[in-house]
Amino acid sequence: MTGPSHVAPEIMDFLDRARYPVDEWALIESHIDNDDLGTTETLFTVANGYLGLRGNVDEGRDSFSHGTFVNGFHETWPIQHAEEAFGFARVGQTIVNAPDAKVIRLYVDDEPLLLPIADLMGYERRLDFRTGVMSRDILWRTPGGKRVRIRSRRMVSFTQRHLAVLTFEVTMLDDSAPVAISSQILNRQDGEDEYHVRSKSMGEGVDPRRASSMRHRVLIPQSNSGSIADGRVALSYQCTESGMTVAVAADHLLETANTYSTRIQTDDDLAKMTYRIDAEPGQPITLTKIVSYHTSRGVPSRELLDRCRRTLDRADEEGLERQFEDQQRWLADFWERSDVEVPSQPEVQQAVRWNLFQIAQASARAEGTGIPAKGVTGSGYGGHYFWDTEVYVLPFLTYTTPRSARNALRFRYTLLDAARSRAKQLAQHGALFPWRTINGEEASAYYAAGTAQYHIDADVAYALSQYLAATGDLDFLTREGIDVLVETARMWVDLGFWRNEDDGTFHIHGVTGPDEYTTVVNDNLFTNVMARFNLRRAAEAVRELAIRDGMAYDQVVRRLNLEEREVEDWERAADDMAIPYDEHMGVHPQDQHFLEREVWDLPNTPLDKRPLLLHYHPLVIYRFQVLKQADVVLALFLQGDQFDPEEKRADFEYYDPITTGDSTLSAVVQSIIAAEVGYHDLALRYFLSALFVDLADRHHNTADGVHVASTGGVWSALVNGFGGFRDYRGVFTLDPRLPEAWESLIFRVTLRGTRVRVTILPESVELCIEEGKEATMVVRGQEITVLPGDPVSVPLDGQGPRIEGAPSPVPGRRRADGTVISAIVPGT
């Protein structure tokens, strides 16, 4: 710990520092606790965006949920609706728990190492953010009283997409003993593991955030598995319904001065290398296990096994240490361009880096796939991709790792044909991206809170536009991005309509905004504001292309059958868009009729009734003014240049007290706008709540995987909230709101290929070019151009408006004349 800590007192309650000591570059666990195995398995996952190995114990027992996940590797199943209707989602998709190659079991004197009952004289587990390695160091006293030191390392490579490396070292300290090490690839997919057993025994009800269970055998063994070379074993499978294939192979190398023998055993669901060692004291036994996973939507498993062989052969030629060195170099580069520093706040700094590291683990090698809501750390949300990626994760990637942002946007482009088909099913022109999916088809069986979230189209267009403004990647826009803008704009014009009786205003009815506690409404403010942006940006892109590259423009016209009148319709619809505003209340209604509902009395709702979605029927929730997550407030952030400061403050003060925060997507947005409108202390409290969403399991479902959108939101809360960074139409501005307890905030943003280090101090902003040529930013209205080798310091006149406390609770239900009746808690 360096320097004094001025963190708000409530942060100290989030983590048990005796168990999780502060280290600014690692998450360390000093003793194991079986009561939160699921949480720690998630927290200590190692992953690269393609492959994820949950932090299960090496021994492969006593786990909450065994997990090895490959991004996009899924099974399909027919969705059974209680009552059918045209256009309902038909095909469910669920990420598959792949064969587990993490298992390395240890026996001393024929006694197994079982952590829950083991006599552990020493224990430490570490996830290092600079090396990307999860390591464990144990001192075990066996039932016979012999001391054994076990050290292990686990890494999923950022540089080799299909590679994982595990090492396992055993040393008898005082006595000799027969030692057995059993290294396995184990397929558990078709057995009921601890996750399901525990859920049932705890009497838990249905939680829509969890993955669906399969009732059939998912992975069908392929005949070409088994042992394929000395020290190399493999298994391969095909999914029963989706037809996807997977192969996993592992090389083994045992190094020791002790004598030993080897045995190989394989069957349909197990490939095992067992080493029997006559261990002498002080003679280490080191097992190196190098593993490769490959998956495909249609390639036969025998071809995947060949790919595994090539991956392992290359790793063998390069050597073990090369893998760890490459990993460390990759992460050094990642932190150089992505780190956010909070000096003199070690608890905050540790948590910030854990969150940013999770974004890397979710996105780095997610090439050709999306970024799942849980990354590859768990099965939560079925491994699906949501709009979370575009709004919460892509900003971080856009301004720190543009290549990864481009990959994620290209994935959306590859789903464009499926989105066109989905639009036709819903009687719309253009394209409609699914709310949740893996293979491009809508997988949400509950249309009211899922399919009706048409705003996903605008979210994709927003992320695309943000990427283009930050990078200037006109090639991507011309060849692929413009197709997305055109097809989404077509959908909006077709979905909405002009109503002449109110001066030709353009309305969008029958949609759901980000807030899933208010569904299928008319003129949802977030949807309309974002649709307006989508329409304008599409029109601008088409017109700019016609001027810049006539030949490319002609190709777009032919490819998309684009007509000039369409572009004019987009512009007209945007100009005429209905933006709800209540003159009497002085706020923007979340939708046309939102303010007519009763107000839910959140302060008097028992904590054991939260989240509401698990304790109240949807129809109960839908009748009230109560929000699962920020909706209007999110619009204030994403489209902040469309609202004035007074509107932002009024809207925030109205909606904040009726927002439950039942969604992990909410606190980061509330923090950003709270900082902007002057609620600085509240902004810090929301930030800290979001910062520890997973580390402290604040939503009680971290066991299902990391909340990746929240980790991206942590970056936004720092950079957009306290740093005050905004990008409106390619103009980059800074208007900081540094928390009083913080001495400074340092972050980097890459703008048009130039990386700028921004240092926020209480009385100034310092800008410095770390890489590239020059950059221009507007700091509190003053345009500043910074050049390499010539840092600029811009004085600040205070930290903006400051409001003490938090917004007052919203009054109860209002009559037509605006007088208050009451607020109520349903069922009381």
Side-chain angles (χ1 to χ4, degrees), residues 297-309:
R297 292 181 181 269
V299 172
S301 60
R302 60 180 178 274
E303 165 63 18
L304 297 186
L305 286 170
D306 285 341
R307 296 179 187 180
C308 288
R309 290 187 185 98

Side-chain angles (χ1 to χ4, degrees), residues 465-477 751-753:
S465 298
Q466 189 176 60
Y467 166 79
L468 294 171
T471 65
D473 189 353
L474 296 178
D475 174 69
F476 178 61
L477 171 64
L751 310 174
R752 302 295 179 100

Side-chain angles (χ1 to χ4, degrees), residues 86-102:
F86 181 82
F88 277 9
R90 297 295 176 195
V91 180
Q93 306 139 46
T94 300
I95 194 168
V96 172
N97 200 336
D100 188 3
K102 300 189 298 292

Side-chain angles (χ1 to χ4, degrees), residues 606-685:
L607 291 179
D608 62 4
K609 296 294 185 183
R610 306 278 290 274
L612 303 186
L613 65 93
L614 298 184
H615 300 281
Y616 295 91
H617 191 284
L619 289 177
V620 175
I621 299 173
Y622 297 164
R623 295 187 186 109
F624 289 84
Q625 291 188 48
V626 63
L627 280 64
K628 182 184 178 188
Q629 65 204 68
D631 193 301
V632 170
V633 173
L634 180 58
L636 302 179
F637 168 45
L638 300 184
Q639 295 294 297
D641 58 341
Q642 302 298 304
F643 302 89
D644 63 40
E646 292 74 22
E647 289 175 331
K648 292 180 183 179
R649 180 180 296 175
D651 286 343
F652 179 80
E653 291 176 345
Y654 188 87
Y655 288 103
D656 195 69
I658 58 174
T659 302
T660 65
D662 287 349
S663 168
T664 58
L665 303 181
S666 196
V668 290
V669 177
Q670 289 168 279
S671 176
I672 292 168
I673 298 302
E676 180 176 352
V677 303
Y679 287 100
H680 293 192
D681 294 337
L682 183 60
L684 181 58
R685 290 203 297 273

